[in-house]
Each structure stands twice: as structure tokens, then as C-alpha cells.
Amino acid sequence: MANVKYDDWSWHTGGVFPADQPQINGFTHIGMYLVWLIRHDLSNPARHDSREVSEVKAGTITAHDLAEAIDGKLTADDMAPDGKAFSDWYYSPEGNPAYLADWANTFRNQPNYSVGDSPETYARIERVIDARFEQWTAAGRPITWALPAGSQSRVRSVKLIAAVGMLIGLALAVISVLVPAAGARGFLTATGIVILVASATIYRRAGRW
């Protein structure tokens, strides 16, 4: 599977960005999340070696310092399997809960992109992410699907196909009532139900990508 990109610094600075804020602040929320992953041993050791992990945990490498190391992009390559599974559930604009929404709510009294890189910033968002991780764990670590970067059009396509699938499944189930042969009727009914359930599941999961 292609590498999944959860966020990109350029997504936050490529459009209208506050002229009175340093552009590195567009990376703050990304860096803070990566710091959380590293400090909770949920980062990929092949991507973030023991020296970097030790320095992040000691605070000598902070959120903004990680921007160059990951080229401003938070991807699945930065994460251990549990870190990716959690991020698939939490780091999604359409998720509920969603990290970006939690970030905005945590710093709601500050202007956009005014949150800098500081221990106080990390302490505030760490408590929020910790609570979400506990929520995810308590829910049985639900699995959601994530798609590669730039795939929003694919999400819409998948949802459209899934919606068509639900209609086909429902139609087969309805048509089966009109079929006189019991064997054919049972086959159509079973097929319709399978297509309907599978399509509904795909549609629901696509809403979390």
C-alpha cells in the first residue's frame, strides 16, 4: 500500500496565511503530534532513530525542529503499527473525534497559527491526545481505513460507488420477491443482502478517511 500522508505543512501555508505569524507556526500542530508519538513510543524506529527519540524525550529536539527531518509531512512512515492505527482513527479531518478539531478547540482563544513551539503548548495538547488514545483503547482500538495523500477525489468516488452498491443490493432484494422459483429467489435475496451490507460498510468507513 502507498504511504499515507496525514498532514503537510504546505497545506497550511499554501493559501491565505496570517501575515503577522511566522510560517513555521503552520507546522506546530504537526510537530506536536509527532512529538507525542515519539514520546509514547509509537513512532517508527526505522525513521526516528534512538538518538532522535532520546533528544525528543529530553526536550532538546522540539516540534519545530522536526520539520526538516520529515520534510514538513506527517506520514505513516513516521509511525509504528499502533501509532498508525491510532492516527487512522484520530488524525482525520472527517473523523469524530478529530485531532485538528481538538487542536482548534484547545487553542480556541488564540488567533489562527499563533500557537508556537513551547513546553506549555505541548503539555496542553498532550493531555488531549492522551485522553483520545485512552478513548480509542477503551473502544477496542477500532480500525479505520486511511488512503494515500491527495486522495479526497478517490474518497468521493468510493462513496459514490458504495452508494450505487447499496441501491443495487436493495434492488436485488426487492426483485427477489417477484421471482417465482424458490431457489432463484433465495439466491437473489442473499446476494442483495451481501451487496447491501458490504456497500454500507464501505460507505461508512469512507466517511472516516
Side-chain angles (χ1 to χ4, degrees):
M1 178 178 177
N3 189 26
V4 176
K5 182 163 66 173
Y6 298 86
D7 210 340
D8 190 323
W9 183 10
S10 67
W11 294 349
H12 302 273
T13 57
V16 178
F17 190 85
D20 59 342
Q21 300 298 336
Q23 291 213 343
I24 187 62
N25 281 2
F27 179 80
T28 305
H29 67 284
I30 300 172
M32 290 290 171
Y33 189 82
L34 182 54
V35 167
W36 183 88
L37 289 172
I38 292 172
R39 290 189 175 184
H40 289 75
D41 298 317
L42 293 171
S43 63
N44 180 3
R47 173 96 159 145
H48 303 282
D49 59 29
S50 58
R51 178 195 59 79
E52 185 176 66
V53 169
S54 296
E55 292 184 356
V56 169
K57 289 184 176 181
T60 54
I61 289 180
T62 63
H64 286 179
D65 296 327
L66 293 169
E68 184 176 349
I70 63 171
D71 192 29
K73 303 172 181 64
L74 180 68
T75 72
D77 281 349
D78 294 301
M79 305 169 187
D82 278 353
K84 181 184 182 305
F86 174 60
S87 299
D88 286 351
W89 177 80
Y90 183 45
Y91 209 119
S92 165
E94 297 181 8
N96 184 23
Y99 173 65
L100 294 180
D102 279 346
W103 176 273
N105 183 58
T106 301
F107 301 102
R108 60 186 176 277
N109 294 325
Q110 297 179 232
N112 286 342
Y113 298 111
S114 66
V115 180
D117 182 4
S118 70
E120 292 75 21
T121 297
Y122 178 75
R124 290 178 66 183
I125 199 62
E126 180 185 41
R127 290 193 292 270
V128 176
I129 304 174
D130 282 347
R132 292 305 192 190
F133 188 79
E134 291 177 7
Q135 178 184 350
W136 177 66
T137 301
R141 301 190 172 206
I143 297 173
T144 55
W145 299 351
L147 289 177
S151 60
Q152 288 305 307
S153 61
R154 297 185 199 178
V155 171
R156 289 191 290 271
S157 297
V158 169
K159 292 178 76 172
L160 177 60
I161 292 170
V164 171
M166 286 189 284
L167 290 175
I168 292 173
L170 182 60
L172 287 175
V174 171
I175 291 171
S176 68
V177 177
L178 305 176
V179 175
R185 185 167 59 248
F187 174 78
L188 287 174
T189 301
T191 301
I193 291 174
V194 169
I195 293 174
L196 179 61
V197 172
S199 298
T201 300
I202 291 171
Y203 187 93
R204 184 172 63 252
R205 288 180 173 177
R208 302 297 299 275
W209 291 347

